[in-house]
Amino acid sequence: MARRYSIKLVETLEAYSGDNMGMNLGAACIKANLPMTYVARVFGVSRPTMDTWFNGHLIKTKYHRLVELLMMALKTDLEAGKLPAKTMKEAKLYLSAMEPRPAELVPVSSI
């Protein structure tokens, strides 16, 4: 079962306005109401790895393009009103279309 974000992490990421890729990804996932566990599956990494990314640690270069594509998809779908996910089931369904680590992530709005 997916865990909710800690209050501390939510407050930190909501206030963040820098250029750290992992923290920006974390902020976007929180806005989209997508649990870290489900997002980790898209990248083929563990939840603890995703947690380190969201807390500002470096993301390996091989994941940069996937992060950028996911963030574009989240932005597009937030603007289109397809996100934030209203339930855990909806979040899992949204991200399951992107598993496992596809060559290109496509916004749900274009599927």
Side-chain angles (χ1 to χ4, degrees):
M1 172 177 261
R3 296 195 281 183
R4 294 284 176 195
Y5 294 102
S6 71
I7 293 170
K8 181 180 177 185
L9 181 62
V10 170
E11 289 173 348
T12 299
L13 293 177
E14 285 179 346
Y16 183 72
S17 62
D19 62 355
N20 180 282
M21 183 179 273
M23 293 180 78
N24 287 327
L25 174 63
C29 290
I30 287 171
K31 285 179 191 168
N33 197 27
L34 300 174
M36 194 182 299
T37 301
Y38 299 160
V39 177
R41 290 178 188 160
V42 171
F43 294 97
V45 300
S46 66
R47 193 212 49 82
T49 295
M50 189 63 53
D51 186 54
T52 63
W53 293 2
F54 285 12
N55 280 290
H57 293 117
L58 293 179
I59 297 173
K60 290 182 181 179
T61 306
K62 69 181 182 178
Y63 296 109
H64 285 196
R65 182 68 181 144
L66 288 174
V67 170
E68 291 168 357
L69 291 169
L70 178 58
M71 288 180 55
M72 285 188 305
L74 295 180
K75 182 178 186 230
T76 299
D77 291 338
L78 280 163
E79 290 171 355
K82 296 188 182 294
L83 291 173
K86 294 168 188 63
T87 65
M88 292 288 230
K89 184 177 180 179
E90 191 176 305
K92 187 174 186 176
L93 182 62
Y94 177 85
L95 290 168
S96 68
M98 299 175 185
E99 292 177 30
R101 293 180 51 206
E104 288 190 39
L105 299 174
V106 180
V108 169
S109 57
S110 63
I111 292 177

